[in-house]
């Protein structure tokens, strides 16, 4: 199954993506992780990516698209994936749709984790504090200034994707403020319904002798 998780920073996309990966055995593709890996390279591009990410702004489309195209071509992603952090702009979504279309596949669901802006800052500041207390690394962009830029980028550039995918009948929204387990439960229900719909279509096609 091909799933996109959509939601502002701090909505819980990473946490939920890991749970989907565990339950459905499809890889978790996080463009944030891909770009953090690119940023750690001591190259000019790596340095530029690092700077952009630390500021909270979006990395230019060509770099992001190159990373996604390379990753989804790998064998573990052939039958499905859960994308976390991509697409983030309408132009990324259009390019991605074209790419999937060329491959003869489509997105099964885009799941929006809906969270009000006011709670996001709190959530991310808590995430940074907990990471620091546990002795882990704190993300360079988990600070107040970069966060505001990230939330603005979401509102201006990414939130329009909600209508984009709604008009394509693939969008489902869940309340991201519910407890983590409850959010996971809602996501699994959406995926199970989609899975059943696919199985029914395949069964009907088999009955009528039509190819899939
Ligand atoms: P994330 O880990 O998803 O919160 O992403 C961290 C940062 O990586 C973002 O603030 C952007 O700078 C960059 N980034 C991640 N995904 C994308 C994307 N699809 N397009 C542009 N920049 C991205």
């Amino acid at each position: 199954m091909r799933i996109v998780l959509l939601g502002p920073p701090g909505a819980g996309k990473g946490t939920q993506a890991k749970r989907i990966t565990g339950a459905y055995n499809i890889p978790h593709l996080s463009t944030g992780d891909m770009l953090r890996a690119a940023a750690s390279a001591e190259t000019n591009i790596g340095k530029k990516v690092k700077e952009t990410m630390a500021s909270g702004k979006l990395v230019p489309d060509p770099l992001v698209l190159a990373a996604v195209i390379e990753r989804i071509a790998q064998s573990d992603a052939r039958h499905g994936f859960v994308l976390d952090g991509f697409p983030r702009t309408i132009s990324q979504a259009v390019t991605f749709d074209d790419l999937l279309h060329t491959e003869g596949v489509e997105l099964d669901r885009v799941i929006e984790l809906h969270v009000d802006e006011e709670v996001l800052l709190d959530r991310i500041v808590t995430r940074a504090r907990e990471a620091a207390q546990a002795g882990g690394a704190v993300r360079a962009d988990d600070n107040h200034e970069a966060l505001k830029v990230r939330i603005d980028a979401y509102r201006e550039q990414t939130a329009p994707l909600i209508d984009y995918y709604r008009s394509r009948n693939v969008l489902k929204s869940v309340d991201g403020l519910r407890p983590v387990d409850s959010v996971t439960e809602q996501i699994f229900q959406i995926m199970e319904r989609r899975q059943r719909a696919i199985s029914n279509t395949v069964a009907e096609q088999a009955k009528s002798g039509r190819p899939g």
Side-chain angles (χ1 to χ4, degrees):
M1 207 170 307
R2 294 175 182 85
I3 303 290
V4 165
L5 290 184
L6 198 61
K13 299 185 298 293
T15 303
Q16 296 300 335
K18 286 190 186 77
R19 291 176 170 207
I20 296 172
T21 293
Y24 285 83
N25 199 26
I26 49 178
H28 170 197
L29 312 189
S30 154
T31 42
D33 286 350
M34 294 174 204
L35 293 169
R36 272 183 285 277
S40 66
E42 288 295 322
T43 59
N44 283 341
I45 289 185
K47 284 182 198 148
K48 198 92 204 113
V49 169
K50 191 172 182 173
E51 244 172 60
T52 308
M53 290 178 80
S55 75
K57 290 192 195 139
L58 294 187
V59 171
D61 282 358
L63 282 173
V64 182
L65 287 162
V68 171
I69 289 171
E70 190 187 319
R71 182 62 187 88
I72 64 167
Q74 290 173 22
S75 60
D76 63 336
R78 196 166 302 139
H79 299 293
F81 47 74
V82 50
L83 265 169
D84 155 15
F86 178 91
R88 245 175 164 103
T89 62
I90 294 279
S91 106
Q92 288 180 8
V94 171
T95 308
F96 191 50
D97 276 350
D98 288 348
L99 177 78
L100 292 176
H101 188 74
T102 310
E103 302 280 327
V105 297
E106 58 185 9
L107 286 177
D108 287 289
R109 286 289 172 259
V110 174
I111 302 176
E112 183 215 358
L113 302 185
H114 187 83
V115 181
D116 285 337
E117 265 187 34
E118 301 87 76
V119 297
L120 294 173
L121 271 170
D122 261 7
R123 271 199 181 190
I124 300 183
V125 170
T126 306
R127 170 168 87 188
R129 197 179 44 235
E130 285 173 358
Q133 277 166 357
V138 177
R139 284 173 48 160
D141 56 355
D142 271 358
N143 61 70
H144 212 271
E145 206 179 318
L147 258 171
K148 277 184 63 62
V149 179
R150 286 161 69 199
I151 292 173
D152 286 349
Y154 179 79
R155 191 191 315 114
E156 285 157 25
Q157 294 172 273
T158 310
L161 291 176
I162 296 170
D163 281 341
Y164 176 87
Y165 285 122
R166 186 179 288 125
S167 70
R168 280 160 181 72
N169 286 325
V170 287
L171 185 87
K172 296 281 172 193
S173 292
V174 303
D175 179 359
L177 283 180
R178 304 267 293 271
V180 181
D181 287 348
S182 160
V183 175
T184 308
E185 184 58 32
Q186 293 177 70
I187 292 175
F188 285 1
Q189 281 172 10
I190 290 167
M191 292 180 69
E192 276 152 28
R193 276 199 292 274
R194 172 64 180 157
Q195 192 69 64
R196 271 200 299 278
I198 295 172
S199 304
N200 288 343
T201 309
V202 170
E204 273 164 30
Q205 282 166 346
K207 230 188 321 178
S208 66
R210 274 182 288 128

